[in-house]
Amino acid sequence: MMREWVNYLPAALFMGCALFPFSGSLISAERIEIYVFILFALYRLVFLMLNGGRRLKRVNIVGLSSTLLAVYLSGRSFAAPVPLVEACLPLGFLCLYYGFAAEDSKENRRFAGLIVVFSVAQALYGFLQYTVYSSGWVAGNLSNPAGYAASLVVGLPFCLTWEVPDRQGKVLKTVCSTLVLSAICLSGSRAGIISGGFILGVFLWKTVAMSAKWRRVIGSTSIIMGAVVGCILFSWKQDSAMGRILIWKISGGMVVEAPVWGRGAGSFQADYMTCQADFFKANPDSKYAQVAGNVFHPFNEFLLLSIEFGLVGLLLVSLILFPVVRNICISGFNPFSTCIAAIALFSCFSYPVHYAYVCIVLAFCLGNVQLKPLFWLKIRRIGLFVLGGLSAMILFFCLAKDVEYEYQWNRIREGTLSGKAPELMEQYRLLYQKWNYNPRFLYHYGVTLNYIGLHRASNDILAQCSEVYNSYDLQMLMGNNYYAEGKWDLALSHYAKASQMCPNRFRPLYMQIMVYDHRQEYDSAAQLARELLVKPVKIPSDEIRQMQSEARRYTRNLNRD
């Protein structure tokens, strides 16, 4: 018994690192999550090859669709300007899927037990965090409350069905489930609360005995209560909800422009902010102006998939989800199908598959959905070793290259932060020549060039960056570079673009006033100064008050003259 559990120590280690990502000065937590995911995929792949893929002969609709989707996403991603390690993530997910699909039920029960343990640990960590920092919503050890809630949501179905060989098992399951549900509510994530409520509702619907009449009554009541709760959650954080409606509205237009095949991997973060600027340029008095901000994800995984990979990618995902939802409807409570459906529901309002831990659990659930096989596939051991070996080589190569590059870049960046930027520019230049397609490298390179006064070189790099990663901050930085060079027309165009991207920001308007003042176009400067003074303030700050004070002084001086 002990020996069998020891075999799961590597899995526990990888799961723990994915759920509690650590970060150092040379590798970011976001990158660590990607590396842990790839390493875990390699581990499962090697495990699969050594065991000969005992259950891989059965191929169901989920397995076939997952394979086609992973090949399609990876193929499109390798052809796009995205980091190689990110392009091979779908391949890593496929390795995890087949690794879990080849396990027997006994081994999968142990892995489900690991999920329960980590879910309870994460919930307790959240309670501790709330006790120490009693203000605000908890986020556990992840980047924000949504990620924390997603990691708890995927564990809830397994807490509800945990097979504990003890007479007190029912009590233990109830305690664990209550802890996890309470932590989800404590996170304040609306998507998490909706998904957690969905899981609990399906569990009660499938396990509590009642007559058909009562089922209809309770079902109708649940739908009405769900609508009421949805309205309450919308009004709870209305600005956030309005912001997402804006993002979905603009993102829908991006889908229409390239509906079938999409705009390509990484195109959302390259094109969205430009589309948002175009929207506010055409609708300057829009009610959404006050909720606009920098956006790098549409807060809907299906929308992101449609934008980047078109309706083809969405169709392949639908072929996975349809039989899963059907399985929930026609059978008893199944933690695997319910977990997949909950992740899909969460994905309608947030980005749960952005987190490595959630993706690992998703692969585990997909690999254990029991469906009628479409066909039987005979795989020889040599064929398994060839395919597995080739996949392992691709994953390891992409991982090693990215780790080396990121380590070198972050070491240089640490040096620039400690005041050694001029001495390190030659190393930056050499690293730029073998760029790994991480757009954040280009942005920070441009920032560093701006810091040491190389404004023209900074804008050359930032212009390249804008093709793969565009933002309000990037436009402002380019405008500042042109401002320092005295190129007023170019500075104005970038400040105007930044103002259109985020109409509620004061800095672009203020900098345009400064440009017009340098050009001695005092009427235009005065008009913008008056606009700045009547501009509604979203979040008061000393910086805004200072800009308002200077604009007020500027208009008074002009009136005096």
Side-chain angles (χ1 to χ4, degrees):
M1 178 72 176
M2 180 61 68
R3 184 179 177 184
E4 292 174 345
W5 276 101
V6 167
N7 291 334
Y8 265 77
L9 284 177
L13 177 63
F14 286 123
M15 293 281 282
C17 290
L19 187 57
F20 298 95
F22 57 90
S23 64
S25 59
L26 297 180
I27 299 289
S28 66
E30 181 184 0
R31 227 55 184 174
I32 288 292
E33 278 196 79
I34 293 176
Y35 298 159
V36 168
F37 182 82
I38 297 296
L39 287 171
F40 192 37
L42 282 167
Y43 163 73
R44 297 301 307 183
L45 181 59
V46 171
F47 204 79
L48 172 66
M49 291 165 63
L50 294 176
N51 284 275
R54 295 189 298 270
R55 294 173 54 206
L56 287 181
K57 294 179 181 178
R58 294 186 303 175
V59 180
N60 57 33
I61 183 65
V62 169
L64 179 61
S65 301
S66 297
T67 303
L68 293 174
L69 179 64
V71 171
Y72 175 66
L73 297 184
S74 280
R76 294 287 307 276
S77 298
F78 278 119
V82 298
L84 286 177
V85 73
E86 295 179 17
C88 69
L89 286 175
L91 177 61
F93 183 87
L94 191 64
C95 294
L96 282 174
Y97 166 77
Y98 280 115
F100 286 122
E103 297 282 17
D104 58 35
S105 58
K106 194 175 185 180
E107 291 168 328
N108 286 327
R109 279 197 298 271
R110 293 196 190 96
F111 195 84
L114 281 179
I115 295 174
V116 173
V117 170
F118 281 120
S119 298
V120 173
Q122 183 77 313
L124 293 174
Y125 184 84
F127 283 116
L128 180 63
Q129 190 180 53
Y130 184 78
T131 303
V132 177
Y133 309 103
S134 56
S135 61
W137 306 109
V138 300
N141 200 48
L142 296 172
S143 57
N144 59 46
Y148 175 70
S151 69
L152 293 170
V153 164
V154 297
L156 183 57
F158 301 101
C159 292
L160 292 168
T161 57
W162 194 16
E163 297 183 18
V164 185
D166 190 275
R167 279 184 286 182
Q168 303 300 322
K170 190 173 182 180
V171 175
L172 187 59
K173 284 192 292 187
T174 303
V175 171
C176 291
S177 303
T178 303
L179 280 173
V180 172
L181 272 170
S182 302
I184 291 172
C185 295
L186 205 60
S187 72
S189 167
R190 292 163 298 177
I193 293 171
I194 292 171
S195 302
F198 167 78
I199 293 170
L200 185 61
V202 172
F203 176 76
L204 294 175
W205 184 263
K206 293 293 184 178
T207 57
V208 177
M210 62 183 77
S211 64
K213 179 182 177 181
W214 276 107
R215 283 189 181 275
R216 287 194 296 270
V217 171
I218 293 175
S220 303
T221 305
S222 299
I223 293 173
I224 295 171
M225 288 183 64
V228 172
V229 170
C231 293
I232 293 172
L233 291 176
F234 178 86
S235 59
W236 179 20
K237 299 179 183 178
Q238 191 166 356
D239 283 352
S240 174
M242 290 292 289
R244 295 194 185 190
I245 291 173
L246 167 67
I247 294 167
W248 293 339
K249 186 174 183 177
I250 297 172
S251 298
M254 295 175 71
V255 174
V256 172
E257 291 176 6
V260 180
W261 300 105
R263 304 165 73 102
S267 59
F268 182 86
Q269 65 178 1
D271 300 336
Y272 175 82
M273 291 303 291
T274 300
C275 293
Q276 183 164 291
D278 294 340
F279 174 83
F280 285 115
K281 186 177 181 180
N283 304 275
D285 299 321
S286 172
K287 62 181 179 180
Y288 299 111
Q290 280 298 97
V291 297
N294 265 331
V295 178
F296 303 110
H297 195 286
F299 292 95
N300 186 308
E301 298 285 10
F302 302 108
L303 199 51
L304 179 65
L305 186 72
S306 301
I307 291 169
E308 298 193 344
F309 300 101
L311 296 179
V312 174
L314 192 62
L315 175 63
L316 291 172
V317 170
S318 301
L319 292 176
I320 296 172
L321 291 179
F322 178 75
V324 169
V325 173
R326 184 174 180 274
N327 195 29
I328 293 174
C329 296
I330 65 175
S331 62
F333 184 78
N334 184 296
F336 305 111
S337 298
T338 306
C339 183
I340 296 168
I343 293 173
L345 181 60
F346 204 115
S347 297
C348 294
F349 309 101
S350 191
Y351 42 88
V353 298
H354 175 78
Y355 298 96
Y357 179 81
V358 175
C359 288
I360 291 171
V361 178
L362 177 60
F364 171 67
C365 293
L366 286 172
N368 283 277
V369 173
Q370 299 300 317
L371 297 170
K372 183 179 178 181
L374 291 175
F375 56 88
W376 294 79
L377 182 65
K378 185 176 181 180
I379 304 177
R380 296 183 180 276
R381 195 175 185 89
I382 185 65
L384 182 61
F385 267 92
V386 170
L387 289 174
L390 182 61
S391 300
M393 287 173 60
I394 294 172
L395 291 174
F396 185 78
F397 173 79
C398 295
L399 176 65
K401 293 288 288 183
D402 199 80
V403 169
E404 179 189 12
Y405 190 93
E406 291 290 318
Y407 176 81
Q408 292 179 12
W409 169 40
N410 284 282
R411 188 176 61 180
I412 295 171
R413 189 170 60 172
E414 281 293 302
T416 61
L417 294 175
S418 60
K420 301 177 182 177
E423 296 91 335
L424 294 170
M425 292 317 298
E426 179 62 20
Q427 295 183 40
Y428 246 127
R429 187 186 66 81
L430 293 174
L431 200 58
Y432 168 69
Q433 292 177 353
K434 51 180 181 178
W435 179 43
N436 72 339
Y437 293 102
N438 184 347
R440 287 165 181 81
F441 167 79
L442 292 182
Y443 180 75
H444 284 283
Y445 188 18
V447 169
T448 305
L449 289 167
N450 166 272
Y451 175 74
I452 64 175
L454 298 176
H455 302 293
R456 181 177 298 180
S458 174
N459 269 349
D460 290 341
I461 297 298
L462 293 173
Q464 183 182 358
C465 181
S466 67
E467 296 175 3
V468 291
Y469 174 88
N470 205 353
S471 70
Y472 163 86
D473 299 305
L474 185 142
Q475 293 297 325
M476 284 298 296
L477 187 57
M478 293 186 75
N480 291 342
N481 282 326
Y482 285 124
Y483 184 90
E485 291 184 290
K487 297 180 178 179
W488 309 123
D489 289 339
L490 291 171
L492 273 177
S493 67
H494 285 282
Y495 289 141
K497 176 64 74 68
S499 185
Q500 291 159 3
M501 286 180 171
C502 300
N504 51 39
R505 304 290 178 92
F506 280 71
R507 176 60 62 177
L509 205 57
Y510 176 77
M511 291 306 299
Q512 289 179 74
I513 296 171
M514 294 296 100
V515 171
Y516 281 122
D517 184 68
H518 277 288
R519 292 171 57 169
Q520 299 182 352
E521 297 180 19
Y522 301 119
D523 290 339
S524 298
Q527 181 182 348
L528 289 179
R530 285 189 285 270
E531 287 182 23
L532 188 146
L533 289 172
V534 299
K535 191 179 183 68
V537 179
K538 183 178 180 180
I539 302 175
S541 68
D542 292 336
E543 183 185 12
I544 291 176
R545 282 188 285 270
Q546 182 182 357
M547 286 187 283
Q548 289 175 327
S549 176
E550 292 184 20
R552 196 175 294 111
R553 190 184 313 113
Y554 187 83
T555 54
R556 279 202 303 265
N557 291 339
L558 284 179
N559 291 333
R560 192 178 300 120
D561 293 340

